Amino acid sequence: MRMVDLIEKKRDGHQLSKEEITYIVTNYTNDNIPDYQISALLMAIFYQDMTDEEITDLTLAIAHSGDVIDLSSLDGIKVDKHSTGGVGDTTTLILAPLVASVGATVAKMSGRGLGYTGGTLDKLEAIPGFRIELSDEEFIRTVNESKVAVIGQSGNLAPADKKLYALRDVTATVNSIPLIASSIMSKKIAAGADAIVLDVTTGDGAFMKNIEDARRLAKTMTRIGKLAGRQTVAVISDMSEPLGEAIGNSLEVVEAIETLQGNGPEDLVEMCYALGSQMVVLAEKAASIEEAREMLKEALESGRALAKFKEMIQNQGGDSTIVDEPARLLTARYIYELPAKTTGVVTKIVANELGIAAMMLGAGRKTKEDSIDHAVGLRLNKKIGDKVETGESLLTIYSNEEDISPVIDLLYKNIEIGDTAEQPILIHDIITE
Ligand code: URA
Ligand code: CA
């Protein structure tokens, strides 16, 4: 096989065979195909798209480019959850203990944030002592005893995706449905889950800017899941404004604790019930979504979910007393309010731009090598549809630098006040195969 012929085939809109796709992924992983040829292929895929069969073959080839985790020594149906990317998306911190507290098995591998999107591992590391690396034995024992552990993905999980993602990032080929679908599903399949709940975000803060594209991505991923023998459900959710109130690592841990205490922001709580009930049904702990939702509500209101979060922190070496004293996590040196310049109703809060503002404060990374500052970030005091008066605080800024004028300029540009606005619809659709 010659790589140049395969590029030509895709360039001209033909379907690549399983053998051809496996050849490409295997040889690229082993450094036998140069980046420039893969770049050309990625651009051809971007324009010509792929059939479901090609996307499935690509997903499985990427999944098998490294370790495929065997979770069969864990009891029960292992259920995983993945978001296609958001701002202030605190759901995993809440869902892992919440869903485990009603008996589902959550053996989760999470990632770090890049650019304006946050990562669960960074948030967990805001908890003093929390270890995101457990040995295989520790991981299995912890999940069997406690039903829950959230760890970093192993170094050799889907190595082809690491190379492809880095190349896509610099060749303007990130935003392609076949490439996003195969990237996400390959990692989920390699991480060993039996069932997968996908949160496919849409809006300014997401890869998919409109609902039609989000629906296509969701359908593509649920079909791949089914073909790979993993039950998969996708929830299409809105990410035009940030989810919940907090954006930033320690701030989101505090938000997770408050939510598990029953005092969470309405949209974040609803998102957790929507995703969590799908997880509980896939894990066969409830017969219907309604029943699952009742179970989750009970676990939250009784404090069982919060106790599970404490247990999870303890199991992974963290200081669980922060659950009782979350204010200890808020160590930023400067706290500023952002006053509204006019009276009216908040009509727009652009999620990705607020994510960038949090990153500028130090909450996120511009490049993979950057270190992050757990203490900094934003807390929204107003959301779309809220009334506001001149001088009232739109949001609170937590910073370790005194001069944050570029951040303030960016925030004012991306929060609009007008006459009327409806609260955005949070869940647009639920896709099951
Ligand atoms: N998240 C991923 O893991 N891969 C993509 O391509 C996009 C989002
Ligand atoms: Ca949040």
Side-chain angles (χ1 to χ4, degrees):
M1 249 183 262
R2 290 199 321 157
M3 189 58 199
V4 64
D5 299 328
L6 303 181
I7 298 170
E8 186 178 310
K9 194 171 175 186
K10 186 38 71 185
R11 184 201 66 193
D12 296 341
H14 303 295
Q15 180 168 346
L16 296 173
S17 70
K18 185 182 173 81
E19 289 65 40
E20 288 165 341
I21 289 172
T22 307
Y23 167 87
I24 294 166
V25 172
T26 310
N27 283 290
Y28 184 51
T29 310
N30 297 335
D31 297 326
N32 293 329
I33 301 174
D35 281 349
Y36 53 81
Q37 287 190 307
I38 298 296
S39 304
L41 180 74
L42 291 171
M43 193 56 86
I45 292 172
F46 184 92
Y47 280 111
Q48 294 291 0
D49 211 338
M50 284 181 127
T51 65
D52 275 357
E53 207 179 336
E54 284 178 297
I55 302 174
T56 307
D57 292 338
L58 179 60
T59 303
L60 293 177
I62 298 173
H64 288 98
S65 66
D67 299 341
V68 176
I69 315 282
D70 179 7
L71 296 178
S72 57
S73 53
L74 289 174
D75 308 330
I77 297 171
K78 276 72 69 184
V79 56
D80 202 347
K81 168 255 160 193
H82 188 87
S83 161
T84 60
V87 175
D89 183 348
T90 317
T91 51
T92 297
L93 297 187
I94 301 159
L95 278 175
L98 177 60
V99 168
S101 75
V102 303
T105 305
V106 184
K108 184 152 176 50
M109 289 180 197
S110 283
R112 295 199 180 274
L114 186 63
Y116 65 79
T117 62
T120 298
L121 293 185
D122 299 322
K123 297 172 196 181
L124 287 170
E125 282 182 342
I127 301 168
F130 196 98
R131 285 165 53 219
I132 53 121
E133 281 180 35
L134 299 182
S135 68
D136 291 355
E137 300 75 53
E138 277 179 306
F139 183 58
I140 301 285
R141 178 166 39 79
T142 306
V143 178
N144 271 336
E145 283 171 13
S146 266
K147 290 281 172 202
V148 62
V150 181
I151 61 171
Q153 66 184 38
S154 96
N156 198 33
L157 196 94
D161 178 63
K162 286 199 191 82
K163 289 189 72 176
L164 286 169
Y165 197 89
L167 195 57
R168 285 165 60 206
D169 205 24
V170 292
T171 56
T173 51
V174 168
N175 229 326
S176 147
I177 288 175
L179 296 178
I180 295 174
S182 56
S183 166
I184 291 176
M185 292 303 286
S186 63
K187 283 174 284 192
K188 294 294 105 181
I189 289 167
D194 303 310
I196 303 158
V197 176
L198 298 165
D199 176 11
V200 179
T201 52
T202 174
D204 286 328
F207 284 118
M208 299 291 113
K209 306 295 177 201
N210 64 63
I211 296 177
E212 290 66 43
D213 286 347
R215 196 171 277 127
R216 249 202 84 212
L217 177 62
K219 286 197 168 142
T220 303
M221 290 196 290
T222 52
R223 270 198 302 261
I224 297 173
K226 192 181 178 189
L227 290 169
R230 317 294 169 103
Q231 284 224 62
T232 308
V233 174
V235 173
I236 298 181
S237 72
D238 194 82
M239 190 52 78
S240 47
E241 68 176 339
L243 188 64
E245 294 165 0
I247 309 168
N249 301 284
S250 293
L251 289 160
E252 290 190 48
V253 173
V254 173
E255 181 171 58
I257 294 167
E258 287 169 357
T259 303
L260 289 165
Q261 285 168 335
N263 302 318
E266 203 184 318
D267 60 340
L268 179 59
V269 173
E270 178 50 32
M271 199 64 215
C272 288
Y273 284 147
L275 294 170
S277 55
Q278 297 289 347
M279 291 171 78
V280 172
V281 168
L282 287 184
E284 297 181 3
K285 296 295 169 189
S288 68
I289 295 297
E290 294 70 36
E291 185 190 344
R293 191 180 263 266
E294 282 311 308
M295 288 163 70
L296 293 174
K297 245 182 144 156
E298 193 279 326
L300 201 122
E301 284 164 8
S302 67
R304 266 195 302 135
L306 184 69
K308 186 55 88 177
F309 189 43
K310 253 186 161 166
E311 185 182 320
M312 173 181 139
I313 294 173
Q314 257 158 14
N315 287 342
Q316 298 192 231
D319 174 5
S320 65
T321 63
I322 57 111
V323 172
D324 304 307
E325 300 165 71
R328 270 182 27 226
L329 291 171
L330 301 178
T331 57
R333 215 164 311 144
Y334 303 99
I335 297 178
Y336 299 106
E337 303 297 333
L338 189 77
K341 290 178 176 170
T342 53
T343 293
V345 173
V346 178
T347 54
K348 202 167 180 180
I349 304 179
V350 184
N352 52 336
E353 297 294 335
L354 266 73
I356 291 171
M359 182 181 79
M360 286 163 71
L361 291 166
R365 298 179 182 80
K366 289 186 205 73
T367 70
K368 281 200 178 94
E369 289 70 36
D370 282 355
S371 62
I372 61 174
D373 184 345
H374 290 117
V376 302
L378 307 170
R379 180 128 194 174
L380 304 182
N381 300 318
K382 299 286 174 186
K383 301 261 298 189
I384 294 177
D386 286 349
K387 287 200 186 101
V388 60
E389 291 192 12
T390 307
E392 220 183 330
S393 174
L394 293 167
L395 55 80
T396 309
I397 304 165
Y398 295 79
S399 173
N400 275 325
E401 309 222 348
E402 192 169 3
D403 178 12
I404 53 162
S405 32
V407 174
I408 289 183
D409 290 345
L410 184 65
L411 290 170
Y412 272 127
K413 275 200 198 100
N414 289 287
I415 302 178
E416 287 175 16
I417 298 172
D419 297 331
T420 56
E422 302 270 306
Q423 262 187 12
I425 292 169
L426 186 63
I427 311 274
H428 294 289
D429 206 351
I430 292 172
I431 309 282
T432 52
E433 252 289 321

